[in-house]
Amino acid sequence: MADTLRRRGPKTSAPSPSPPPNKPSVDAKKEHETDPAVKVVHRHAPKTRKRKTTAIFLLGSLFGIIAAGFFAKTNDLIDFPEIGELTMGSLFDALPAGLVKDMREIIIGERDFLDSYDSFSVGQQARAEGLAAHHPIVMVPGVISTGLESWGTSNVSLPYFRKRLWGSWTMMRALVLDKDTWKAHIMLDKTTGLDPPGIKLRAAQGFDATDFFITGYWIWNKILENLASLGYDPTNSYTAAYDWRLSYANLETRDNYFSRLKSHIEVAVMLQKRKVVLASHSMGSQVVFYFFHWVASEQGGRGGADWVERHIEAWINVSGCMLGAAKDVSAILSGEMRDTAQLNTFSVYGLEKFLSKAERAEIFRAMPGISSMLPLGGSAIWGDLDGAPDDRPGQEHTYGAFLNFRTGQNWTTPARNFTVDDALRYLLDTSEDWYRDQIQGSYSWGVAQTTAEVEANENDPRKWINPLETRLPLAPNLKIYCFYGVGKPTERGYYYRPPEPGSLTSLNMTIDTALTQGSLVDHGVVMGEGDGTVNLMSMGYMCNKGWKIKRYNPANAQITVVEMEHEPDRFNPRGGPKTADHVDILGRKNLNEFILRIAAGQGATIQNQIISNILEYAEKAKVYEE
């Protein structure tokens, strides 16, 4: 397979893959054309460009945080007490020039945009139209938008007491000047999956935990501002931040997270006399889905099968990685992803010297919560070597070949290509016992093909994150809104090679970053459809097809889907009001409008809008009615 691909150069003998089709298939259209609630939009071929703002995702793109340093008006000492005597000039002098240049390109124009942006305009317009705060709202963030702060009192932790080691300038300072201490804090105990001895990191709480990642890089702040314009405040809105490093079971074991979430929702319903709206983003959507099972189960919250029906009005699922993310595999396998693969030579050299691939892979593995986003559904969703549901017409190589290898290079790389199932087996077979034990004891990646299997899985907490093995709650009046972006190239597979000869690494392989083929393979990363971080199949399959299957939605909860075209403002580094990027979508104008409508009790005015070919892809998935 890989032999037909060219190395980067002026000539190529391999035909470029056909661009993605602009229209849903005829069969998919016929199935839905009689349903007035579904609007299938024929979109023009998306205008895409390589934006580097996706660099801030998990730890693999860690150096993206330093970009915020350019928000300073000068290069003088920044007035942040956490920084101490660190100047931006001295910091950038220590970094490779190429990396500094890349970061500077990311944020050009951002400061002027922030100064001119009318953050409250959506909320003010909604209020002028008569909307007001109605349902209490609870927001469950994703990884990047949940700050982690130190509460340890040991000698190594005292300098960082109540300072954030994820999501602040303190994190940047610790990374650059005290890397070993930072690693010791951010990694969980490899045996227990809990706090290491003498270390105590906890999720920050309140709106401050999720509004900004670091100064100038907003996350939930736009939504909070618009909710405030409608009349929301800390008495009727709440942020349910969590320590995303923990496995979901340990979220309850260590922090009583789900118990506290249950209690807060119950109090909100009692005081406000109305059911709660849950709004989640990215990994937060998996947390909500797990919570639905936990709260009803006798092994969890013991709320009973009707708890969700009695307490939850709606679930707003924004960019939810319901079936995982491809980049989670490469991050855990080799400490890499597209964001690191695209770095130039000088930046790669600096990053490797500072935080090597092996170190990054070790850090990812010591955060069992991250592994909840490994792809779910196996070959039924992601395809096999003969084909994948989301293969495009004329595509020479199937997406079902998830990890690709060139034969005869080195004994450390496999002799054949891997499907998603193969890749997960390989990851577990070649990883340390502590990681394998943690993950296999926490998660499951299969497909339940019968109602009996689904009902039996309600008693197995390992299955609770997987919507293909378990069902939605028995809540016929629950309203689910799936909002996600489309039209942005997204990681779908990888080409791997052996490490460089003589390199000092414990890894068996690394992404073949020199390999590029048209728009399909970018620096060894196979590109598919999605929002730049999460694949279309992960965000869209359950919403458009999976939850239409009776065993997965026995109460027939209402599902509304709105896909949002990625139409970034080329002069706005965060994409502007029409971006559909995985993180930046939280500032998108119509997403904010929809959230306000639902919170105000007007969610019924939102109509389905399908832009992509997800209906066609979903029909090809090997998940069937009984």
Side-chain angles (χ1 to χ4, degrees):
M1 173 176 178
D3 292 339
T4 64
L5 300 181
R6 65 177 174 86
R7 308 295 291 187
R8 301 186 83 188
K11 296 181 180 180
T12 178
S13 59
S16 297
S18 301
N22 298 329
K23 299 181 180 181
S25 69
V26 175
D27 291 340
K29 286 167 57 183
K30 284 182 178 179
E31 180 181 347
H32 294 273
E33 64 186 2
T34 58
D35 185 352
V38 178
K39 180 180 180 183
V40 179
V41 178
H42 301 271
R43 63 171 177 166
H44 299 290
K47 296 179 181 179
T48 61
R49 61 191 177 93
K50 292 183 179 178
R51 292 181 62 230
K52 295 180 181 178
T53 51
T54 57
I56 304 184
F57 177 77
L58 306 178
L59 290 172
S61 311
L62 216 41
F63 271 56
I65 65 167
I66 304 174
F70 290 103
F71 290 128
K73 300 291 184 180
T74 71
N75 225 21
D76 297 332
L77 187 70
I78 297 179
D79 188 22
F80 292 122
E82 299 96 330
I83 294 287
E85 295 303 311
L86 178 66
T87 67
M88 293 311 300
S90 63
L91 174 61
F92 294 133
D93 286 344
L95 298 175
L99 180 57
V100 174
K101 180 177 181 294
D102 285 346
M103 294 186 298
R104 190 180 297 276
E105 291 175 357
I106 293 174
I107 54 77
I108 288 176
E110 176 79 352
R111 185 179 64 237
D112 292 339
F113 167 73
L114 289 173
D115 291 341
S116 64
Y117 183 70
D118 187 0
S119 302
F120 300 90
S121 60
V122 173
Q124 291 171 341
Q125 178 63 33
R127 187 175 60 189
E129 294 174 1
L131 271 64
H134 187 73
H135 293 286
I137 185 168
V138 174
M139 292 159 280
V140 183
V143 172
I144 189 177
S145 52
T146 302
L148 302 178
E149 59 190 22
S150 176
W151 281 81
T153 56
S154 62
N155 290 338
V156 71
S157 297
L158 279 178
Y160 298 104
F161 182 72
R162 291 200 63 202
K163 294 179 180 179
R164 293 192 190 178
L165 292 176
W166 175 265
S168 73
W169 288 102
T170 302
M171 169 186 173
M172 184 180 75
R173 180 180 183 277
L175 258 174
V176 175
L177 302 180
D178 197 8
K179 184 185 73 171
D180 290 339
T181 299
W182 181 84
K183 282 180 59 181
H185 280 76
I186 204 72
M187 295 169 64
L188 293 170
D189 185 274
K190 294 177 179 178
T191 302
T192 66
L194 299 170
D195 295 319
I199 302 294
K200 190 176 184 180
L201 220 59
R202 294 294 181 267
Q205 297 299 309
F207 301 120
D208 287 345
T210 62
D211 53 357
F212 289 90
F213 180 66
I214 52 176
T215 306
Y217 195 96
W218 51 262
I219 306 292
W220 283 80
N221 193 56
K222 309 297 182 188
I223 293 173
L224 296 175
E225 290 170 339
N226 288 310
L227 285 171
S229 297
L230 219 61
Y232 283 94
D233 57 41
T235 66
N236 54 5
S237 58
Y238 171 70
T239 298
Y242 57 95
D243 188 339
W244 41 266
R245 302 172 304 153
L246 294 167
S247 68
Y248 293 0
N250 279 340
L251 274 174
E252 179 63 20
T253 298
R254 195 195 74 178
D255 296 347
N256 301 120
Y257 173 79
F258 296 111
S259 292
R260 290 186 291 110
L261 178 58
K262 175 178 180 280
S263 296
H264 189 92
I265 291 172
E266 290 173 341
V267 170
V269 171
M270 180 184 67
L271 296 178
Q272 304 291 327
K273 309 302 182 186
R274 295 188 180 100
K275 292 195 285 186
V276 165
V277 168
L278 285 172
S280 60
H281 174 247
S282 190
M283 179 181 174
S285 295
Q286 284 190 318
V287 172
V288 168
F289 189 73
Y290 183 95
F291 172 71
F292 284 156
H293 298 288
W294 178 91
V295 75
S297 173
E298 287 299 310
Q299 300 180 55
R302 300 183 178 181
D306 64 342
W307 189 94
V308 173
E309 174 70 11
R310 290 184 288 112
H311 292 89
I312 307 298
E313 172 70 17
W315 172 27
I316 305 172
N317 170 15
V318 180
S319 305
C321 50
M322 301 312 303
L323 299 181
K327 69 194 315 175
D328 210 44
V329 177
S330 62
I332 296 169
L333 181 63
S334 61
E336 302 171 283
M337 53 187 68
R338 185 192 184 197
D339 306 311
T340 57
Q342 287 183 338
L343 292 174
N344 63 40
T345 302
F346 291 108
S347 299
V348 169
Y349 176 81
L351 182 57
E352 283 300 301
K353 289 293 184 182
F354 185 75
L355 199 65
S356 70
K357 297 185 188 74
E359 284 182 293
R360 300 196 301 267
E362 180 190 21
I363 291 171
F364 279 121
R365 295 181 191 192
M367 300 174 172
I370 295 296
S371 293
S372 70
M373 293 181 285
L374 290 170
L376 306 175
S379 297
I381 296 296
W382 304 103
D384 53 33
L385 299 183
D386 295 323
D390 53 337
D391 281 346
R392 304 165 181 174
Q395 186 172 308
E396 183 177 356
H397 305 298
T398 177
Y399 285 135
F402 181 65
L403 299 186
N404 302 276
F405 311 96
R406 288 185 291 170
T407 59
Q409 282 195 323
N410 189 295
W411 65 268
T412 65
T413 56
R416 62 179 180 85
N417 295 332
F418 280 175
T419 65
V420 162
D421 284 331
D422 296 330
L424 293 182
R425 278 193 294 268
Y426 179 82
L427 173 61
L428 293 174
D429 288 345
T430 58
S431 58
E432 302 86 344
D433 290 344
W434 58 264
Y435 174 75
R436 182 167 56 251
D437 293 342
Q438 283 280 336
I439 301 313
Q440 289 182 328
S442 301
Y443 310 120
S444 177
W445 303 275
V447 177
Q449 298 286 4
T450 68
T451 300
E453 289 180 78
V454 169
E455 291 303 320
N457 289 341
E458 291 301 310
N459 298 316
D460 186 350
R462 294 177 306 137
K463 313 283 187 179
W464 290 352
I465 68 157
N466 189 348
L468 289 169
E469 292 188 290
T470 55
R471 55 168 169 76
L472 286 171
L474 301 177
N477 291 305
L478 174 67
K479 302 163 188 68
I480 299 175
Y481 298 88
C482 297
F483 302 139
Y484 57 87
V486 297
K488 187 172 185 184
T490 304
E491 291 171 52
R492 184 61 174 84
Y494 304 90
Y495 279 84
Y496 271 90
R497 62 168 175 79
E500 294 292 343
S503 61
L504 300 177
T505 179
S506 59
L507 300 174
N508 292 331
M509 60 181 73
T510 184
I511 292 178
D512 193 351
T513 57
L515 194 60
T516 294
Q517 182 193 28
S519 61
L520 183 65
V521 183
D522 180 13
H523 293 80
V525 181
V526 180
M527 305 307 297
E529 301 176 63
D531 67 0
T533 294
V534 181
N535 300 93
L536 176 60
M537 286 295 286
S538 178
M539 296 183 294
Y541 176 78
M542 294 307 302
C543 299
N544 289 282
K545 177 65 186 295
W547 286 327
K548 304 293 177 65
I549 297 174
K550 185 68 174 177
R551 66 179 177 273
Y552 297 134
N553 185 6
N556 198 29
Q558 175 187 314
I559 316 289
T560 301
V561 183
V562 178
E563 294 186 332
M564 301 179 183
E565 182 85 61
H566 183 53
E567 300 175 303
D569 180 347
R570 62 179 298 186
F571 299 110
N572 187 322
R574 295 295 298 275
K578 292 186 177 181
T579 181
D581 174 82
H582 182 70
V583 173
D584 296 344
I585 196 173
L586 293 173
R588 185 181 174 110
K589 181 179 179 181
N590 67 335
L591 174 67
N592 276 253
E593 291 172 349
F594 291 154
I595 291 174
L596 296 188
R597 277 200 234 172
I598 296 165
Q602 301 297 317
T605 62
I606 301 173
Q607 294 185 338
N608 289 277
Q609 179 168 293
I610 308 300
I611 294 173
S612 72
N613 296 313
I614 187 60
L615 302 177
E616 175 186 347
Y617 300 158
E619 288 300 318
K620 294 178 182 178
K622 296 178 181 178
V623 183
Y624 308 109
E625 294 274 10
E626 289 180 71

